[in-house]
Amino acid sequence: MSETVNPTLPIIRTVAVDKSFGSVEALRSVSLEIEQGKFFTLVGPSGCGKTTLLRVMAGFEQPTRGQVFIDGKSMEGVPANKRPTNMVFQSYAVFPHMNVGENIAYGLRSKKTPADRIATLVAEALEMVGLAGYQNRPSHALSGGQRQRVALARALVLKPKVLLLDEPLSALDKKLREQMQSELRNLQRNVGITFVLVTHDQEEALTMSDQIAVIFGGEIAQVASPEILYRRPNSREVADFVGVMNFLNVSVLSEHGTRRRVEVEGLGIVEIEEDQAPRGLVGDIVAGVRPEQFTILFEDRASADRCCSGTVTEIQYFGDMTYYAAKLEGCDKTVTISMRNTAGRRTLGPGDKADIGWRSESVLILS
Amino acid sequence: MSGLRMSNWLIVYVGLFLLFLYAPAILLPLFAFNDSAVISFPLAGFTWQWFATVVDNESLHRATRNSLIVAVSTAVFATTLGVFAARAGTRFSFPGKRGMMGLVMVPMVLPEIIIGVSMLVVVLQLGLSLSLMTIILGHVLICTPFSTAILGAAFQGLDRSLEEASIDLGRTRLTTFLLITLPLVLPGIIASLLLAFTISLDEFIIAFFLTGTEATLPVYIWGQLRFPQRIPGLMALGTILLVVSLLLLVCAEYFRRRAARNMGRGEQRELF
Ligand SMILES: Nc1ncnc2c1ncn2[C@@H]1O[C@H](COP(=O)(O)OP(=O)(O)O)[C@@H](O)[C@H]1O
Ligand SMILES: [Mg+2]
């Protein structure tokens, strides 16, 4: 199927999709374009509608309003078994009464593939997910990670245009999860099929994706690359959900053209470029600074263009990083500062005075 | 101390209870092998002769054949209806579902005599004649709740995403039902067949009301009780039925348990 994909069209396009379950509005006016060949991630807190959106794409749920296009064709009235998508379920849904080989051949058989061709394809698919030679294993004898690989192979062997994955890693322990993250990423690059992954874990979204859509309460909050999403979140909610953000009160001093001056609590007067205030300076605004954008200045004062002082109130040691909570001088705010523990760098303790360096381009104005 | 005395009383109580429960069942084989036409103690000696009368009896064979026809038909119909009801109850939501599922279960608690009498009235009102068919109808009515309960548990234990995965992999709803759903609830289906068969095989009251010229085994046995000389033979027959019923129930329970620790989800739990 994937041969016929038109590379200039978005592979999936949703247009103003609403989905209600009785009185629950699970999706509200979701419009998305997913580019062909990308690793696309839907991320959001639990219950925000990620699974519902994935199931709408797969054809398991019908949108209440709005439309879904896959590879340019409207999916209205197209049932799940006729769509060029395949899904990896959260529970993996490996058929317990079939062995690994039968599981993977299941979809090929429904397409009336010749038997010898099936055997080759199954062997190739198993090799691709690192389970070469597992054809005759009974599926109840598989570990969680192996089950997931079987589910992946079973879907990919059909060469869908889009692979949909619903929280595929959430049931695995931390080590295995990290290993599978990079395996999935590499697998996607190798097969070139568009992956749409659902996760509630923003870190997982950042490390794996080409493009991320953040969903809150059934609505798309932002669609961006991992880097933009982290560096330039477009709202306070997104900034808070993706990574850690220090929020400080802010008031507008002047605004002519592109020159904007604001006064940030604890930091003083800051000049802001246009892209540092994605929604302008109106309404209920707040300044945001990421923990790594603050630096505790030991000797290397030159590296920061601005400086303020504070008192360390708490430290959290993570081995490679140390997280400080520091109360800023002149206001009542405590900010989080993260410092890499490079060779020879001291750590401070609670009660120590610290000079804190920062740069004006690190300040975001959010609403 | 008092705890000990309590437990002594408890043992006596349990002993009496078990005696009360099982003494009749033990008397049955005891007199079936007893070399005397009179049912009384002391026992006279060992014999197989009563079993020989069972083997030779033409009308008994006929009643057995009737019972098997009724029991097998009942098992098949009740289980089929049970599959539909259980499927509807676990997969779909529709208005009045709770009430509907309750209604399916009601015959479980209705007195059989009420069912027997009212079915007789209905059958006669409809102008149907009494036959094995009418007995089957009555038995399906009382067996369907049991089948629905067993199958409901089997369907409940089935992970829904297994069926969705099958559709996602290109199968239709029908082939999904045949290739995924049925094999996974098969233990439940077998348990339901066995249980309905067992219930139907020894059911008397409803069969008594709805029997035409062809009697089932329990109705035949009841008819024979008027002839004292045939009672030891009935004891032998009863012994055979007891053993068969017990075996069937053990099988049914085995399959019910297999259905209960159903695949799909059960395995997921063992995994981590
Ligand atoms: N089949 C359903 N029936 C009723 N409500 C549902 C159904 N599926 C999802 N919902 C509701 O829709 C909302 C979004 O659910 P879901 O898409 O599963 O969230 P997520 O995957 O982001 O955790 C939730 O409030 C959930 O309760
Ligand atoms: Mg979900």
Side-chain angles (χ1 to χ4, degrees):
Chain A
M1 285 187 175
S2 54
E3 306 78 76
T4 59
V5 167
N6 178 346
T8 58
L9 278 175
I11 188 75
I12 293 192
R13 196 154 62 91
T14 69
V15 182
V17 167
D18 289 347
K19 176 69 192 176
S20 310
F21 297 101
S23 62
V24 181
E25 286 186 64
L27 296 176
R28 271 182 283 182
S29 191
V30 171
S31 295
L32 265 186
E33 293 197 349
I34 300 178
E35 257 179 87
Q36 151 65 20
K38 289 284 155 68
F39 199 120
F40 192 96
T41 300
L42 303 170
V43 68
S46 156
C48 70
K50 309 177 294 287
T51 298
T52 305
L53 181 54
L54 205 68
R55 291 171 60 83
V56 165
M57 293 174 182
F60 291 122
E61 307 286 358
Q62 299 308 315
T64 313
R65 270 176 299 280
Q67 277 194 297
V68 177
F69 295 88
I70 298 181
D71 199 23
K73 293 184 204 62
S74 168
M75 287 293 121
E76 203 168 327
V78 181
N81 53 354
K82 298 264 160 42
R83 293 195 182 190
T85 57
N86 280 114
M87 184 134 162
V88 174
F89 289 81
Q90 191 163 9
S91 63
Y92 309 146
V94 173
F95 303 130
H97 57 306
M98 297 180 189
N99 66 25
V100 170
E102 288 164 344
N103 260 283
I104 293 168
Y106 189 84
L108 294 171
R109 293 223 168 91
S110 67
K111 287 182 168 182
K112 308 269 184 297
T113 316
D116 50 342
R117 181 98 186 100
I118 288 184
T120 335
L121 288 172
V122 167
E124 280 172 16
L126 280 174
E127 186 156 349
M128 179 174 66
V129 297
L131 290 180
Y134 272 61
Q135 278 89 336
N136 295 321
R137 287 285 177 99
S139 41
H140 59 79
L142 300 173
S143 71
Q146 290 171 333
R147 229 159 243 272
Q148 165 165 68
R149 288 161 204 256
V150 171
L152 266 172
R154 186 175 70 179
L156 285 175
V157 78
L158 299 175
K159 306 215 163 37
K161 289 178 183 167
V162 181
L163 185 71
L164 307 168
L165 305 105
D166 190 2
E167 310 238 6
L169 306 176
S170 61
L172 305 177
D173 60 48
K174 190 164 182 283
K175 262 262 157 58
L176 189 56
R177 187 162 68 232
E178 281 165 6
Q179 184 194 337
M180 284 307 293
Q181 280 174 5
S182 71
E183 275 190 36
L184 263 184
R185 183 69 255 225
N186 291 335
L187 191 62
Q188 192 273 331
R189 289 214 181 97
N190 293 340
V191 296
I193 291 173
T194 312
F195 278 28
V196 180
L197 177 114
V198 159
T199 180
H200 63 267
D201 181 346
Q202 46 90 22
E203 239 174 89
E204 188 170 294
L206 290 178
T207 53
M208 295 176 79
S209 325
D210 293 315
Q211 197 80 353
I212 299 172
V214 183
I215 307 180
F216 291 130
E219 284 175 293
I220 303 280
Q222 187 170 5
V223 183
S225 68
E227 200 197 337
I228 301 285
L229 193 64
Y230 187 81
R231 286 191 35 239
R232 293 289 182 259
N234 67 2
S235 71
R236 187 182 173 150
E237 262 187 309
V238 172
D240 203 18
F241 182 73
V242 179
V244 181
M245 183 69 94
N246 293 301
F247 292 108
L248 299 164
N249 293 330
V250 66
S251 50
V252 182
L253 295 180
S254 66
E255 183 179 6
H256 342 269
T258 53
R259 284 175 60 84
R260 296 130 189 261
R261 281 154 61 85
V262 294
E263 173 153 20
V264 180
E265 175 189 29
L267 300 184
I269 295 167
V270 187
E271 295 230 8
I272 299 288
E273 298 289 329
E274 203 170 346
D275 76 324
Q276 286 167 264
R279 294 200 182 157
L281 296 180
V282 287
D284 181 14
I285 55 172
V286 67
V289 183
R290 294 284 187 196
E292 71 280 3
Q293 301 293 336
F294 286 122
T295 321
I296 291 185
L297 302 172
F298 294 99
E299 287 82 31
D300 46 349
R301 285 181 161 271
S303 68
D305 66 344
R306 303 283 301 264
C307 182
C308 59
S309 20
T311 313
V312 174
T313 57
E314 222 182 294
I315 80 161
Q316 266 185 306
Y317 182 70
F318 283 96
D320 57 337
M321 303 287 286
T322 305
Y323 277 75
Y324 295 93
K327 197 165 122 3
L328 294 181
E329 207 153 272
C331 70
D332 216 18
K333 261 293 175 354
T334 301
V335 294
T336 305
I337 302 169
S338 67
M339 293 293 286
R340 183 154 288 285
N341 294 331
T342 47
R345 180 177 276 170
R346 295 184 287 134
T347 54
L348 300 178
D352 291 350
K353 290 264 181 233
D355 290 327
I356 300 164
W358 53 279
R359 304 171 72 89
S360 52
E361 61 269 29
S362 306
V363 178
L364 277 176
I365 305 298
L366 301 162
S367 55
Chain B
M1 279 295 118
S2 79
L4 195 66
R5 246 212 315 274
M6 268 291 283
S7 76
N8 280 338
W9 278 111
L10 208 58
I11 289 169
V12 172
Y13 169 75
V14 170
L16 282 174
F17 184 80
L18 288 179
L19 190 71
F20 182 71
L21 209 57
Y22 288 110
I26 293 167
L27 287 181
L28 211 58
L30 218 53
F31 286 108
F33 292 106
N34 185 25
D35 193 5
S36 157
V38 211
I39 305 298
S40 70
F41 288 106
L43 299 175
F46 183 83
T47 179
W48 283 104
Q49 65 162 319
W50 308 121
F51 286 89
T53 64
V54 170
V55 174
D56 296 336
N57 188 336
E58 254 327 298
S59 50
L60 172 63
H61 290 173
R62 199 168 175 79
T64 309
R65 198 204 54 160
N66 289 341
S67 265
L68 287 178
I69 292 175
V70 170
V72 168
S73 315
T74 300
V76 171
F77 286 128
T79 302
T80 310
L81 292 177
V83 167
F84 294 151
R87 176 77 185 176
T90 50
R91 274 294 178 277
F92 304 108
S93 55
F94 46 89
K97 175 169 137 180
R98 285 176 67 95
M100 207 81 95
M101 294 314 289
L103 274 182
V104 172
M105 293 300 170
V106 164
M108 220 168 191
V109 293
L110 274 186
E112 291 192 2
I113 187 132
I114 306 280
I115 298 177
V117 171
S118 44
M119 286 211 52
L120 182 64
V121 171
V122 170
V123 165
L124 294 181
Q125 284 294 313
L126 289 176
L128 300 173
S129 58
L130 296 175
S131 65
L132 290 184
M133 203 55 224
T134 51
I135 307 179
I136 293 172
L137 270 179
H139 283 185
V140 168
L141 187 76
I142 56 162
C143 289
T144 302
F146 291 98
S147 293
T148 307
I150 292 179
L151 290 162
F155 276 103
Q156 200 88 61
L158 187 69
D159 182 357
R160 179 174 197 165
S161 56
L162 291 171
E163 291 170 315
E164 287 183 339
S166 165
I167 288 175
D168 188 63
L169 294 167
R171 304 284 180 160
T172 60
R173 279 169 168 276
L174 181 66
T175 42
T176 294
F177 188 75
L178 296 176
L179 293 174
I180 304 296
T181 317
L182 271 189
L184 291 178
V185 297
L186 193 62
I189 289 178
I190 295 176
S192 156
L193 285 173
L194 288 172
L195 187 68
F197 181 88
T198 315
I199 293 174
S200 165
L201 193 66
D202 68 357
E203 199 288 327
F204 172 69
I205 301 175
I206 292 173
F208 180 71
F209 278 97
L210 299 177
T211 292
T213 50
E214 297 284 343
T216 62
L217 209 48
V219 175
Y220 167 81
I221 293 174
W222 184 83
Q224 297 302 298
L225 288 175
R226 280 170 296 167
F227 312 108
Q229 72 276 18
R230 296 198 188 152
I231 287 180
L234 292 179
M235 289 287 185
L237 180 60
T239 305
I240 296 171
L241 287 179
L242 187 71
V243 171
V244 170
S245 294
L246 275 179
L247 284 178
L248 285 177
L249 277 180
V250 169
C251 287
E253 180 60 14
Y254 170 77
F255 282 107
R256 195 192 62 73
R257 285 195 192 175
R258 253 186 67 175
R261 69 178 147 81
N262 192 307
M263 326 178 88
R265 270 184 200 159
E267 267 173 16
Q268 208 77 46
R269 236 177 281 120
E270 293 163 13
L271 244 179
F272 303 111

